[in-house]
């Protein structure tokens, strides 16, 4: 993105070779690499449901700035 990084979500059964597994429940886990883990320390993942926007929202205290459209961020 124009500010550097962006969050991407997808569904996988197994982590990639360089990723670690963080189990959230018996049925749900997050896979991420060490760089993402470091930059995400203290972040909160929230799901919003509303008329104007719905979906996952990440509130990351490590974010320094984001682009005007809100798609990308920098640390």
């Amino acid at each position: 993105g124009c500010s550097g990084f962006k969050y991407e979500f997808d569904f996988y059964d197994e982590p990639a070779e360089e990723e670690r597994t963080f189990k959230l429940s018996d049925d749900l886990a997050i896979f991420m690499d060490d760089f993402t883990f470091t930059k995400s320390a203290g972040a909160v993942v929230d799901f919003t449901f509303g008329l104007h926007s719905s979906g996952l929202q990440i509130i990351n205290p490590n974010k320094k700035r984001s682009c005007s459209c809100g798609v990308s961020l920098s640390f």
Side-chain angles (χ1 to χ4, degrees), residues 8-16 19-33 45 56:
E8 289 187 355
F9 299 96
D10 211 336
F11 295 95
Y12 294 96
D13 293 324
E14 299 291 327
E19 294 176 329
R20 292 196 276 164
T21 301
F22 300 92
K23 194 168 181 150
L24 303 177
S25 72
D26 289 339
D27 299 320
L28 182 63
I30 294 177
F31 309 135
M32 69 176 76
D33 59 23
V45 179
L56 292 174

Side-chain angles (χ1 to χ4, degrees), residues 38-49:
T38 302
K39 297 299 182 185
S40 301
V44 174
V45 179
D46 190 21
F47 181 79
T48 58
F49 184 74

